[in-house]
Amino acid sequence: MAGPGDDDEHDPILDDSIEAEVKSHAFVGGGSGERDMAPSAPGPSIHRSGSRPQLDLSKAEIQGNFEERDPTILLPNQSDDISHLALDIGGSLIKLLYFSRHEEDYSNDDDKRKRTIKERLGITNGNLRSYPVLGGRLHFVKFETHKINECLDFIHSKQLHRRDPYPWSSKTLPLGTGVIKVTGGGAYKFADLFKERLGVSIEKEDEMHCLVSGANFLLKAIRHEAFTHMEAEKEFVQIDPNDLYPYLLVNVGSGVSIIKVDGEGKFERVSGTNVGGGTYWGLGKLLTKCKSFDELLELSQKGDNSTIDMLVGDIYGGMDYSKIGLSASTIASSFGKAISENKELEDYRPEDISLSLLRMISYNIGQISYLNALRFGLKRIFFGGFFIRGHAYTMDTISFAVHFWSKGEMQAMFLRHEGFLGALGAFMSYEKHGLDDLMSHQLVERFPMGAPYTGGNIHGPPLGDLNEKISWMEKFVRRGTEITAPVPMTPSKTTGLGGFDVPSSRGSPLRSDASALNIGVLHFVPTLEVFPLLADPKMYEPNTIDLSDQGEREYWLKVLSEHLPDLVDTAVASEGGTEDAKRRGDAFARAFSAHLARLMEEPAAYGKLGLANLLELREECLREFQFLDAYRSIKQRENEASLAVLPDLLEELDSMNEEARLLTLIEGVLAANIFDWGSRACVDLYRKGTIIEIYRMSRNKMQRPWRVDDFDAFKERMLGTGGKQPHRHKRALLFVDNSGADVILGMLPLAREFLRRGTEVVLVANSLPALNDVTAMELPDIVAGAAKHCDILRRAAEMGGLLVDAMVNPGDGSKKDSTSAPLMVVENGCGSPCIDLRQVSSELAAAAKDADLVILEGMGRALHTNFNAQFKCESLKLAMVKNQRLADKLIKGNIYDCVCRYEPPSVSQM
């Protein structure tokens, strides 16, 4: 990778906010930067967030290609220790977290289109673009404690013990100078071994403090961290960070610790028991001859504890003891039947023994936890530790005990990152760990494909190299509806983190089993904020369709699966149909199919599932296999075709009176919204006509009343009534959707109408490509093309810093309406067809503070998400429904029905 200053076109970064992304299986640190620009042209300024205090950005420079999506940044004056390795060494398992720069993820491609964006757009002032910067990742890995030498081999192979404490550099430290933070009993037991094998010292951290610190961080920072689990149903619980304390934390490892947490750094171990995970594993090993903890758990799933446990029905002749609320199936005595039956150990099935043991220990833990919560008057009980490890029956049993003894007044809650609380707390015990004051809206969870994310045991760190990942994906085999992952092989003299053999009978099906971690990749993005115009962020739910409903889930998973071949063809064609592109396309198809298969079997595998999450998962999977803009050529072609007919449309609009023009503009937005490459019905239409033919056909069919028709209310607000003149809007935020006719013949003319009325307009577009959606990076080019035909757009774009005078012909023949309102472009902070307004860019949040009108356009942003969203200001939701199922569910209408939903400010805000 080229060093700083190797390319004269690279300006120094002057960034006032650094994104630090955190991944689990990788917390990722990163940032965003701005080009070094001259002061912007006169016009409204949009405030950006301040810098992270722990990063010194002075003299920061891009290391390599400036225009890359994720360039490396060199911070020569960075002086803070951002730590990179921590462990929790328990009696059974070692949990390891390590920070890495992941240089192998940086692209060295020389993207000429991005490098010449300044010349193409002619922009020298007011550029609002920002470029994410990948800083590093925090990986989560586990080893069995008795195999500690494998853990040490792993640390040595990656030279983690010799990494410079500044993850932004690649320096190594001299041997014998490193210090590693470690918690758990192994911090004492193995200190000498670490010194002998790695030449590093262990700094021991208090185990309870680490557990609490890790739990507090997770419950505050991750929106869907906690969940309940009753009768195999997982339900996520939203925790208010301001109402978290006090709570009871029950850590179930080899033994059990019960901790009362009253606040940051305020906790007390109030109870515990020596009957825990170690008891289950130890007795199970003696009684069943199982070779591993996971094998013992697997046995329990096939067991029948009634063959060995004495039940209430056994005592009362098969009847309930209803007087005290005990059913016939309630366990009266664990292993009680073994007393009266004339059987030896070998006469009992290992499966039944395992289940009886599991129930005995889990019920005991649940009851003791309830009694402690009752003792201190607490309603919240969180369970963690590797005894839980996502095992459904274990969670059900503990939940039943808490529910039974509390008579339904308390719930057992579990953590998605359970098992890593101590290791995370140890990481946070470094003086400057980079995770201070993290908010839930600054975390974006993603789910890359590849070990250890897919099925079965965790075998090591995620696959970082793309070729390695593609090779791994090529070994996936579909057997019926089951997708089987490749099996890690252990070549001689390795630690078991080597290559993969072809799938065999040992392959793990793609599902959550006893050892699977249902966690993805947490990107830490400090520049994300909650959209300030939401009426009630706590009550806001972006998803309109509830995918917890099995019928809805099966339908939408099928839709995405059926659309996959067309998407792969388009993605491969976008890169010239090369052999490399075909190979990546096949790997993407396998990976995304594997995601869909897993979600079909376990809907909550990746957290709370909504349609927006599914669509974003698809886009992330495309980007994972380096299809960064699959519809690029299609968008360019449609933009050119639409710009060619724009002058005629503007001339037609200018010949109308205000009322007719306003109706035609809204009709135009709805008609142009037909261009959606995510809709099967629309893709079929494209094959039957040109973009202009389809647009004209769509406009000709615009007949009121529409299925949802609030146009008259919107017209009254815009034009007034009874001779009363309305006040103009100060600033309108227009969330745009598709490229081509949608934005050029639909939303731009509407934006122009607001501008001629003196309203500031902010076009809000995706930060990253998704299907044929227009991006904020592409919009200035589109605006520049449109401005050649319109003085209103030209002057507004100049004021908004989008272009310079030399780009357009001031002598064009368009109508000379005077306007003093600027046209601006901001990115929304996401790369999906939908938008979650709890996580938007700081640019958008800043622009929203002076806005009094929000217009959401398109199915993804106005129907799939935000159809029911309430705002502090006026809102207009415009979309054509291009899916019959959605039409049935949402508006009880038909495909191609239209929605024009106008709402005044939420009542609570008036």
Side-chain angles (χ1 to χ4, degrees), residues 236-258:
F236 290 93
V237 180
Q238 182 63 52
I239 304 297
D240 183 354
N242 298 316
D243 189 32
L244 173 60
Y245 308 111
Y247 68 85
L248 204 66
L249 176 63
V250 181
N251 188 65
V252 189
S254 299
V256 181
S257 290
I258 300 178

Side-chain angles (χ1 to χ4, degrees), residues 21-67:
E21 300 172 64
V22 185
K23 284 196 176 181
S24 162
H25 295 13
F27 283 71
V28 178
S32 63
E34 295 174 43
R35 310 273 305 256
D36 186 2
M37 294 295 176
S40 62
S45 61
I46 295 181
H47 173 71
R48 316 250 169 69
S49 58
S51 14
R52 298 271 298 162
Q54 63 262 41
L55 297 179
D56 184 351
L57 306 182
S58 58
K59 298 187 178 179
E61 291 185 298
I62 291 268
Q63 187 174 9
N65 187 350
F66 185 94
E67 303 293 356

Side-chain angles (χ1 to χ4, degrees), residues 883-894:
N883 176 277
Q884 185 59 55
R885 178 81 168 217
L886 189 65
D888 292 338
K889 191 78 175 178
L890 212 57
I891 60 174
K892 294 181 170 52
N894 298 306

Side-chain angles (χ1 to χ4, degrees), residues 205-217:
E205 295 297 324
D206 179 73
E207 191 169 358
M208 293 299 133
H209 187 277
C210 289
L211 286 172
V212 172
S213 179
N216 286 345
F217 168 77

Side-chain angles (χ1 to χ4, degrees), residues 463-479:
L463 300 172
D465 178 74
L466 182 63
N467 285 328
E468 182 184 1
K469 184 174 292 188
I470 292 172
S471 297
W472 193 79
M473 290 307 308
E474 287 172 343
K475 295 182 176 68
F476 267 83
V477 172
R478 182 183 287 276
R479 296 189 178 97

Side-chain angles (χ1 to χ4, degrees), residues 573-588:
S574 72
E575 302 201 4
T578 64
E579 288 304 312
D580 172 68
K582 291 176 182 177
R583 188 166 176 248
R584 286 186 285 118
D586 180 67
F588 157 71

Side-chain angles (χ1 to χ4, degrees), residues 212-423:
V212 172
S213 179
N216 286 345
F217 168 77
L218 292 171
L219 289 168
K220 285 183 175 182
I222 300 176
R223 184 172 284 114
H224 295 137
E225 175 64 26
F227 62 91
T228 59
H229 203 289
M230 285 285 286
E231 298 180 355
E233 291 295 323
K234 182 183 289 186
E235 184 173 337
F236 290 93
V237 180
Q238 182 63 52
I239 304 297
D240 183 354
N242 298 316
D243 189 32
L244 173 60
Y245 308 111
Y247 68 85
L248 204 66
L249 176 63
V250 181
N251 188 65
V252 189
S254 299
V256 181
S257 290
I258 300 178
I259 307 164
K260 178 174 175 280
V261 182
D262 292 303
E264 289 290 344
K266 298 178 181 178
F267 62 90
E268 178 186 4
R269 185 181 189 276
V270 295
S271 186
T273 172
N274 57 356
V275 179
T279 312
Y280 175 61
W281 175 211
L283 286 174
K285 186 175 181 182
L286 290 173
L287 297 174
T288 70
K289 309 304 180 185
C290 280
K291 302 300 183 184
S292 73
F293 191 95
D294 291 335
E295 183 184 353
L296 187 63
L297 280 175
E298 287 290 336
L299 277 180
S300 72
Q301 295 181 185
K302 306 168 188 173
D304 178 4
N305 67 298
S306 66
T307 64
I308 194 167
D309 289 343
M310 183 179 292
L311 310 181
V312 168
D314 295 326
I315 300 173
Y316 291 95
M319 305 293 289
D320 296 341
Y321 191 174
S322 55
K323 187 175 182 179
I324 59 173
L326 297 177
S327 69
S329 61
T330 301
I331 298 174
S333 174
S334 294
F335 289 85
K337 283 183 180 173
I339 301 171
S340 56
E341 294 179 338
N342 187 24
K343 292 182 179 180
E344 299 297 325
L345 177 61
E346 55 269 19
D347 296 324
Y348 291 99
R349 293 197 317 146
E351 292 89 343
D352 301 339
I353 293 173
S354 176
L355 181 58
S356 180
L357 269 176
L358 181 66
R359 280 195 157 187
M360 177 181 74
I361 293 168
S362 298
Y363 279 144
N364 204 10
I365 292 169
Q367 183 178 12
I368 292 173
S369 301
Y370 156 73
L371 291 173
N372 275 281
L374 184 68
R375 173 186 169 197
F376 293 104
L378 305 178
K379 294 294 184 183
R380 288 201 187 105
I381 312 175
F382 297 103
F383 291 84
F386 253 92
F387 175 69
I388 309 294
R389 55 182 32 191
H391 190 248
Y393 202 84
T394 304
M395 294 186 289
D396 266 0
T397 307
I398 290 174
S399 296
F400 178 83
V402 172
H403 186 271
F404 176 84
W405 290 109
S406 71
K407 294 182 170 57
E409 292 185 6
M410 294 183 194
Q411 286 183 310
M413 288 184 278
F414 304 91
L415 304 177
R416 293 180 62 216
H417 293 77
E418 49 83 16
F420 280 104
L421 301 185

